[in-house]
Amino acid sequence: MTKRVAILISGGGSNMVALAQSMQGDHPARPVLVLSNDPQAGGLAKARSLGVPTVAIDHKPYGKDRAAFEEALQTALEQARPDIICLAGFMRILTPGFTAQWEGRMLNIHPSLLPKYKGLHTHARALEAGDAEHGCTVHEVTAALDDGPILGQARMKVLPVDTPDTLAARLLPLEHALYPAVLRRFADGDRTPVMLQG
């Protein structure tokens, strides 16, 4: 049975586009919703152009009331009835109460080789540490930030001339290859990690 996928974004949605475009033909999943916490997110128009329904739930009116914001998220998700949720540049930290409802069904992509560099500024931190390799990780979402079981990693060499911006730019094509590959395998019920080398 085809799996239903909801994708959560906050910005331009380049990973969302890679995921949505991959879900065709004999793929075991289809995108049913792109949801953003920012009504101005560029990814919403891209999703509509791909024929994927969109919803925007602006987090700002909720202030510090995360529970109320997540209740609105949950309502929108329940209407779309997804089997899998993919976080793709969704810049809100989700509470343990929310992640528990979707445990085992929610994926995230993070721009570091986890368990290194959870949180923000991953490219700068890799350079500051003098790492020879950098990359991205797709993992299951759990209550702890950037901490769930690893489902895939893509690695690339760090060049002497790299800056945080060049690292981010060089990593993006690897993200766009890794996330769809992991989703396809995950939708088939296979949690064997996907390993790519850039």
Side-chain angles (χ1 to χ4, degrees), residues 12 32 56 115 122 134 140 165 177 179 194:
V32 296
T122 58
H134 187 46
E140 286 186 48
D165 287 345
Y179 210 169
V194 176

Side-chain angles (χ1 to χ4, degrees), residues 1-159:
M1 206 176 89
T2 304
K3 296 283 198 303
R4 300 169 63 84
V5 177
I7 307 170
L8 274 57
I9 65 168
S10 293
S14 70
N15 269 304
M16 173 276 295
V17 169
L19 289 169
Q21 288 179 335
S22 75
M23 286 185 262
Q24 26 186 317
D26 65 352
H27 196 288
R30 290 291 182 271
V32 296
L33 177 69
V34 170
L35 193 159
S36 178
N37 63 302
D38 179 358
Q40 305 304 315
L44 291 169
K46 292 176 191 168
R48 286 192 289 271
S49 75
L50 292 168
V52 183
T54 62
V55 172
I57 300 171
D58 191 346
H59 67 274
K60 291 191 193 80
Y62 294 94
K64 292 198 174 357
D65 191 348
R66 277 200 190 153
F69 170 67
E70 289 181 352
E71 203 172 300
L73 273 190
Q74 184 69 15
T75 300
L77 287 167
E78 282 171 359
Q79 286 169 355
R81 304 188 326 279
D83 303 296
I84 300 167
I85 295 175
C86 290
L87 305 182
F90 187 67
M91 301 307 286
R92 307 301 297 165
I93 291 175
L94 298 166
T95 67
F98 184 85
T99 57
Q101 297 177 82
W102 296 97
E103 193 152 339
R105 296 184 290 157
M106 192 186 305
L107 311 182
N108 181 45
I109 189 159
H110 182 73
S112 80
L113 294 171
L114 291 174
K116 281 185 171 184
Y117 316 128
K118 296 172 184 179
L120 300 173
H121 311 301
T122 58
H123 311 304
R125 288 156 70 193
L127 289 173
E128 282 161 18
D131 290 354
E133 270 194 324
H134 187 46
C136 54
T137 304
V138 177
H139 64 96
E140 286 186 48
V141 176
T142 58
L145 180 69
D146 300 329
D147 198 51
I150 289 173
L151 297 169
Q153 288 191 321
R155 297 168 174 272
M156 66 181 195
K157 287 191 165 33
V158 176
L159 304 176

